[in-house]
Amino acid sequence: MKETTEPQNTSNNASKDAQLAAVIASSVIAVGFVIYWTIQIQDMREMLALAYG
Amino acid sequence: MSSRMLPSYTRSVAVIATIGLCLGFAFSNARLDTYSALLPLFEWMETTPFGVIGKTWGAVFATVQAVHLLAMAVLGGAILVSDGRLLSVIFTDVPQRQVQDACHRLFVWSLLLSIITGVFMACGVAIKVYYLNVFWYKMLALTVGVVFVFFVRRPLLRHDIENLNPWVLRMVAVASLMIWFSVAATGRWIGFSG
């Protein structure tokens, strides 16, 4: 019994770890993306306002 | 307890540590010091045969640029298809594993080709791109994208995809699209700058 469940547990733990890592990395990328492009779009709007009023 | 818990969350801990290190680097003097230290490398790049060919023969530069853009198009296609499948938007009748493996192979080859041609192109205009902020944003996005694919996305998809949380898969797909959109957009921006 133990021989069959242990590899399964290890696999489940590895899967949970990979999923948690993916959630953390994806969240940070999404936050970085929103911050970067918000700043770029704001800067562009300011430049357009300076150029064309 | 902690010694039993830590090995099972090694990847998550590594991701958090990497993010911490990157933030520490970004908000410290190390970033400016590294930027200054890289100037001689970029000056040297322009003097290499690649730099001389890129600056002297416009036709060679244009041909390499065409290959670079084709490689980027294939790379973008591979990403759109694999992320579209993860989001269950396209190729829903083809097994996940088949789509992901085929797209990953295509991704690796197109990435290699775009990096090789990209280095050649950068040699021709090394000093110009060194002073462009958007070039550094592209390099940052590219590095994050590559690290994300090989250390987060691919290891996740090696597990039985059907047993993974679908929301995690969607998050990964959206993050992947965001990061590669940024690589493409900042890359195009370099062409419009200077």
Side-chain angles (χ1 to χ4, degrees):
Chain A
M1 183 70 178
K2 200 180 174 188
E3 276 174 18
T4 53
T5 54
E6 247 181 41
Q8 239 175 7
N9 280 344
T10 314
S11 170
N12 280 345
N13 283 344
S15 168
K16 276 182 191 168
D17 182 26
Q19 290 189 76
L20 181 60
V23 168
I24 295 165
S26 302
S27 309
V28 171
I29 286 172
V31 171
F33 176 89
V34 170
I35 291 172
Y36 176 73
W37 286 108
T38 304
I39 291 170
Q40 293 303 322
I41 291 166
Q42 267 181 351
D43 284 356
M44 192 52 67
R45 284 168 65 104
E46 279 170 22
M47 280 193 354
L48 286 171
L50 278 173
Y52 300 106
Chain B
M1 174 75 178
S2 61
S3 64
R4 277 168 61 189
M5 256 183 74
L6 199 60
S8 60
Y9 285 96
T10 341
R11 194 170 293 279
S12 306
V13 172
V15 167
I16 293 168
T18 308
I19 293 165
L21 279 173
C22 290
L23 287 175
F25 178 79
F27 293 105
S28 70
N29 285 333
R31 184 171 57 90
L32 289 174
D33 293 343
T34 310
Y35 178 69
S36 305
L38 283 172
L39 180 59
L41 173 72
F42 279 72
E43 286 171 340
W44 170 79
M45 279 166 71
E46 279 208 353
T47 63
T48 60
F50 287 159
V52 174
I53 291 169
K55 275 189 295 187
T56 315
W57 289 288
V60 176
F61 188 89
T63 307
V64 174
Q65 192 172 36
V67 177
H68 184 73
L69 290 175
L70 283 171
M72 288 296 287
V74 175
L75 186 109
I79 288 158
L80 280 177
V81 170
S82 64
D83 288 337
R85 182 64 184 91
L86 279 184
L87 290 167
S88 299
V89 176
I90 50 169
F91 293 114
T92 46
D93 52 337
V94 185
Q96 276 276 19
R97 173 70 53 211
Q98 197 180 329
V99 175
Q100 298 306 330
D101 288 349
C103 286
H104 187 69
R105 274 196 299 276
L106 209 56
F107 171 85
V108 171
W109 285 110
S110 54
L111 179 70
L112 275 174
L113 191 58
S114 53
I115 287 174
I116 293 165
T117 50
V119 168
F120 176 89
M121 286 163 57
C123 283
V125 287
I127 301 296
K128 177 192 151 187
V129 295
Y130 175 83
Y131 290 107
L132 282 179
N133 280 343
V134 70
F135 169 77
W136 295 104
Y137 285 125
K138 180 183 172 167
M139 290 303 111
L140 175 68
L142 180 66
T143 310
V144 171
V146 171
V147 170
F148 183 69
V149 165
F150 290 102
F151 294 99
V152 177
R153 191 180 192 278
R154 196 63 191 155
L156 173 74
L157 298 180
R158 273 198 207 106
H159 295 280
D160 186 6
I161 300 176
E162 308 306 322
N163 288 336
L164 296 173
N165 187 329
W167 284 104
V168 175
L169 293 178
R170 285 184 194 123
M171 275 185 82
V172 167
V174 171
S176 169
L177 289 171
M178 284 174 165
I179 199 73
W180 291 106
F181 166 82
S182 300
V183 174
T186 48
R188 190 58 286 225
W189 202 329
I190 292 171
F192 289 126
S193 304

